[in-house]
Amino acid sequence: MDMESNANNENRSSSKTVLIDNNPGRNAQTYGIARELGTDMDLIHEPSVGVIGNKGDSQCYLGVQQKVEAIQEALLQNIGQDSNQLRMRLIQPEYTIATSDGMRNGTTEMRYSLIGREVTHDSVCEHLSASGLEGTIGVVACDKPPIGTLAAILEHNRPAIIMSDGTIRPGIDSVTNERLDIISGFQVAGSDDEEMKYRIACEACPGFGSCGGMFTYNTMQTFIGVLGMEPLHMVSPASDDIRRIQIFPAELVGYLSNLISSQITPRDIVTRDSIRNAIVVAMAIGGSTNVLLHAPELARAAGYRDFANDIMSPDEFNYLSEYVVPVLVDARPFGNYSMIDIDEQGGVQVIVKELLNAGLLNGDTLTCTGETLAQQIDRLDPPPPDGAVIYAVKDPYKATGGLRVLGGNLSPEYSAVLKLAGVEGGLENNVFIGKARVFDGEHSLLSALENEPEIFKNHDMVIVRYEGPSGAPGMPEMLDATSRITTLCREQNIVVGLMTDARFSGGSVGLVIGHVGPEAALGGPIGLIEDGDEIIVDLNTNELNCTQLLNSSVLEKRTAAWKNVVESNGGMHPSIGIANTRLLNRMRLSAVSAKFGAGMHPNRDIWVSEPREVDKGSFSPSNKYRSDKE
């Protein structure tokens, strides 16, 4: 453990004062809580331990409370003064709130999705800090709350552990017998067959749990597991898997007890090397583009201020994706299988073992089980890849990684991201050349797709702007739009790309590029594109360019015109969204760019109070490959 962690531990352990012990007003409630929870009243001034869970309005969260209550009962049985018990004060479970991405896509409510990560962060931060928790178990669900939960845990930096609530099981189409999931419902939205759309909607999401494909939820649960904050064998089982109620709670309490006794904190686990491991695995599972928003936010919370310099540069990211890390799963949305299938073939630990054996991960990183990553894999002893759902590194599902970061004159921040694993066509020799079709806001695009789909032509590049972190505000994802475009392209056998300063669902497929920055609302070049401009996506150079804007006189003229519009509208472009609540206004005024995670952090210099020194060490999965690839 480093000196910083030891100092923090000493400060925290000496924070209890006689005033608290001897204050009858404070004692009245602590005695009352202990009495109601059935815990030892002699422990009311010991350090606190508790459970937190994510809740919200969707099937993703329906199983959370049951797990929280099971873990609370396991804690209750292990709290006390016996030598084998935790001598701690048990507190009541606490829940955060969030929206459902699936239910809000295509609506103005979707602006609150990414903001939900920030709200979860704030609420968990308040709970951990004000309650002074010295031990925490978090049950997380859906896309954004897990990241907000873990970011707050990293800032609090006391022993903690995460458990995924689990994934939903696939639905079955009663007519075709094909497997269904939430993306199935979105991808038939443009159909005129109302009976079929109703059937798919009714049959796509049976039971409860978070989205079942390798969308954002499962991407980030795998990420958190590889980071070391969640036991790997707890990532892939379904939400309704009985292990989550009967076996995992006691295991979690045991792991947490060890973390507390060993004083292992989240920042001991989440380090530069573990974050890099998680990025490599995200590539290997063809993960969601949202990982490039959430990884910088988690790195910030762990004390790393600049993801590109401290963790992984865009150049190294692209090198790994292009030459080193293959896609090892045939998973939805770009493939056929769900996380349930991955679990049946041994779980994500099969994938991690493959990458460890190939020398692509650092096995020495610490995990919440008290073991290194390599030791955890050795104990779990997963089977070899089955070759149908999970593939071997030497014979992968796809030869290159699933994500690519782009620069160029439309992405000077080098923030734009393409989910290469989901591209279904349009790249000739790794190059797409298209004609811009511009929409100021997602709703104008959805209206066009619904009412005049015939306007979209082969090799159009749809531009959706003023939907960034500040512009929307909230940087909504565009699963509705991308799904309709995917259906249109498949039906007409054409290629239509989409580029935006917003983001995408992990379920989006096609030639879609998000996180383009700077965003249009802040004067980014995406706001200067005009209908008919030539857009070039070049994966040989990893650039995203508008040919017309390469001309300095055109660039100068369009920039001046954009500024005139903004100045005549009181300093804001008229195409930005309405910030009609305090929360939306807070996002507008404090959001940082996608490059830094698109969170609410108005001053990057005070993002964390205790920045970490970066020891880049010698391990790099690219080192062993560069000499023979370049």
Side-chain angles (χ1 to χ4, degrees):
M1 191 182 306
D2 58 27
M3 294 180 62
E4 175 189 320
S5 297
N6 281 327
N8 289 340
N9 294 338
E10 291 173 5
N11 290 337
R12 291 178 186 273
S13 63
S14 63
S15 64
K16 187 173 67 174
T17 66
V18 175
L19 177 64
I20 293 176
D21 286 352
N22 293 334
N23 189 302
R26 295 189 178 97
N27 287 353
Q29 281 208 323
T30 49
Y31 277 129
I33 291 170
R35 185 168 50 245
E36 293 302 315
L37 294 182
T39 56
D40 192 331
M41 291 194 185
D42 290 338
L43 300 179
I44 65 168
H45 295 303
E46 295 299 324
S48 299
V49 64
V51 191
I52 55 178
N54 300 150
K55 294 296 288 292
D57 177 26
S58 80
Q59 287 167 286
C60 307
Y61 306 104
L62 287 177
V64 170
Q65 184 170 340
Q66 187 183 29
K67 280 82 167 183
V68 167
E69 291 172 353
I71 296 169
Q72 179 80 353
E73 181 62 28
L75 277 170
L76 181 62
Q77 298 305 316
N78 285 274
I79 294 288
Q81 301 192 52
D82 292 346
S83 60
N84 62 341
Q85 291 182 305
L86 282 168
R87 186 182 175 88
M88 302 187 80
R89 171 181 176 254
L90 180 63
I91 68 170
Q92 304 169 74
E94 189 62 84
Y95 294 93
T96 67
I97 59 171
T99 59
S100 163
D101 293 354
M103 292 170 66
R104 270 81 195 188
N105 253 283
T107 74
T108 55
E109 297 163 356
M110 191 62 203
R111 296 178 297 170
Y112 287 96
S113 171
L114 187 59
I115 292 175
R117 183 188 74 182
E118 309 300 292
V119 172
T120 296
H121 184 162
D122 287 350
S123 62
V124 173
C125 178
E126 191 274 344
H127 176 62
L128 297 178
S129 300
S131 301
L133 265 88
E134 287 293 303
T136 306
I137 299 174
V139 182
V140 296
C142 204
D143 287 10
K144 311 309 176 296
I147 310 307
T149 299
L150 181 52
I153 283 172
L154 282 162
E155 289 181 345
H156 187 62
N157 201 33
R158 304 306 301 139
I161 191 168
I162 297 285
M163 183 184 79
S164 160
D165 173 64
T167 183
I168 195 170
R169 296 185 184 275
I172 300 294
D173 189 322
S174 58
V175 173
T176 66
N177 287 323
E178 293 179 352
R179 281 187 166 193
L180 301 172
D181 56 31
I182 190 170
I183 304 304
S184 309
F186 277 98
Q187 290 185 346
V188 298
S191 171
D192 294 328
D193 187 340
E194 297 300 326
E195 181 179 345
M196 182 267 292
K197 287 194 291 187
Y198 177 77
R199 183 182 79 249
I200 298 299
C202 289
E203 297 175 349
C205 296
F208 56 88
S210 296
C211 292
M214 198 53 73
F215 315 143
T216 304
Y217 171 74
N218 282 316
T219 298
M220 296 315 301
Q221 289 312 305
T222 304
F223 191 97
I224 291 170
V226 176
L227 270 184
M229 287 301 297
E230 177 172 4
L232 286 170
H233 68 289
M234 297 185 187
V235 173
S236 58
S239 181
D240 63 8
D241 192 305
I242 198 66
R243 289 173 288 177
R244 294 198 178 277
I245 300 298
Q246 294 187 353
I247 298 176
F248 293 169
E251 291 182 353
L252 288 165
V253 173
Y255 292 140
L256 182 65
S257 298
N258 177 63
L259 294 174
I260 293 170
S261 64
S262 303
Q263 282 299 288
I264 297 172
T265 67
R267 285 195 184 190
D268 297 322
I269 295 170
V270 180
T271 63
R272 178 180 185 269
D273 285 340
S274 70
I275 297 171
R276 286 166 62 81
N277 280 346
I279 288 288
V280 169
V281 176
M283 292 179 184
I285 61 177
S288 166
T289 53
N290 283 306
V291 75
L292 288 170
L293 292 178
H294 297 327
E297 170 61 8
L298 292 176
R300 176 210 62 78
Y304 301 102
R305 296 196 175 198
D306 189 333
F307 188 85
N309 288 321
D310 295 345
I311 307 296
M312 184 177 289
S313 69
D315 175 67
E316 184 180 13
F317 183 96
N318 285 335
Y319 185 87
L320 290 170
S321 184
E322 187 171 0
Y323 294 115
V324 180
V325 184
V327 176
L328 300 183
V329 292
D330 177 5
R332 294 274 289 161
F334 54 84
N336 297 298
Y337 296 104
S338 72
M339 186 59 98
I340 299 300
D341 300 300
I342 291 173
D343 185 60
E344 290 175 352
Q345 299 303 325
V348 298
Q349 52 266 41
V350 176
I351 301 165
V352 175
K353 183 177 181 179
E354 267 295 295
L355 294 169
L356 276 170
N357 289 344
L360 300 182
L361 300 178
N362 184 343
D364 295 331
T365 56
L366 184 62
T367 74
C368 62
T369 66
E371 305 157 303
T372 65
L373 182 65
Q375 289 170 339
Q376 190 181 166
I377 288 296
D378 286 343
R379 174 177 55 80
L380 293 173
D381 191 23
D386 65 292
V389 179
I390 305 174
Y391 287 69
V393 169
K394 65 181 180 180
D395 187 21
Y397 179 68
K398 292 190 176 186
T400 58
L403 298 169
R404 195 73 63 85
V405 177
L406 306 176
N409 72 350
L410 291 177
S411 181
E413 289 187 341
Y414 229 109
S415 60
V417 57
L418 167 69
K419 185 172 181 176
L420 191 57
V423 173
E424 297 186 344
L427 292 171
E428 299 290 338
N429 298 317
N430 286 323
V431 176
F432 170 88
I433 300 176
K435 184 179 294 186
R437 188 173 294 276
V438 180
F439 295 88
D440 285 355
E442 182 190 19
H443 288 167
S444 59
L445 169 61
L446 289 174
S447 177
L449 287 166
E450 179 74 22
N451 300 309
E452 44 182 351
E454 68 279 356
I455 70 171
F456 296 93
K457 306 299 182 184
N458 192 31
H459 278 238
D460 275 353
M461 175 59 82
V462 172
I463 313 294
V464 184
R465 59 196 185 189
Y466 300 104
E467 295 283 15
S470 294
M475 201 181 187
E477 68 183 33
M478 299 195 172
L479 178 58
D480 196 351
T482 60
S483 297
R484 290 172 186 266
I485 289 174
T486 296
T487 300
L488 180 73
C489 290
R490 289 174 179 174
E491 289 177 348
Q492 299 188 17
N493 194 29
I494 61 174
V495 174
V496 174
L498 190 155
M499 184 183 82
T500 180
D501 51 12
R503 60 189 180 86
F504 299 116
S505 163
S508 292
V509 294
L511 188 64
V512 293
I513 301 168
H515 311 183
V516 176
E519 60 178 292
L522 300 182
I526 188 174
L528 307 180
I529 301 172
E530 295 183 357
D531 278 323
D533 281 356
E534 182 180 71
I535 307 297
I536 301 176
V537 182
D538 190 340
L539 299 187
N540 299 305
T541 60
N542 292 315
E543 289 192 347
L544 176 64
N545 288 302
C546 173
T547 302
Q548 282 71 18
L549 296 181
L550 293 172
N551 185 311
S552 58
S553 62
V554 172
L555 177 63
E556 183 178 341
K557 180 179 179 181
R558 292 189 186 180
T559 300
W562 185 90
K563 288 181 177 178
N564 287 336
V565 171
V566 170
E567 290 171 4
S568 64
N569 193 54
M572 294 187 293
H573 197 281
S575 294
I576 63 173
I578 298 173
N580 55 354
T581 66
R582 187 173 73 168
L583 192 52
L584 290 174
N585 190 57
R586 179 185 166 202
M587 185 69 175
R588 167 153 292 158
L589 297 179
S590 66
V592 295
S593 74
K595 177 181 179 181
F596 298 110
M600 293 182 181
H601 305 289
N603 185 345
R604 285 210 304 123
D605 291 336
I606 59 170
W607 278 6
V608 286
S609 57
E610 298 168 354
R612 298 168 70 154
E613 293 186 9
V614 181
D615 179 8
K616 296 192 175 181
S618 59
F619 180 86
S620 171
S622 61
N623 285 346
K624 60 184 288 187
Y625 289 87
R626 281 192 181 270
S627 60
D628 61 351
K629 293 286 186 180
E630 293 184 331

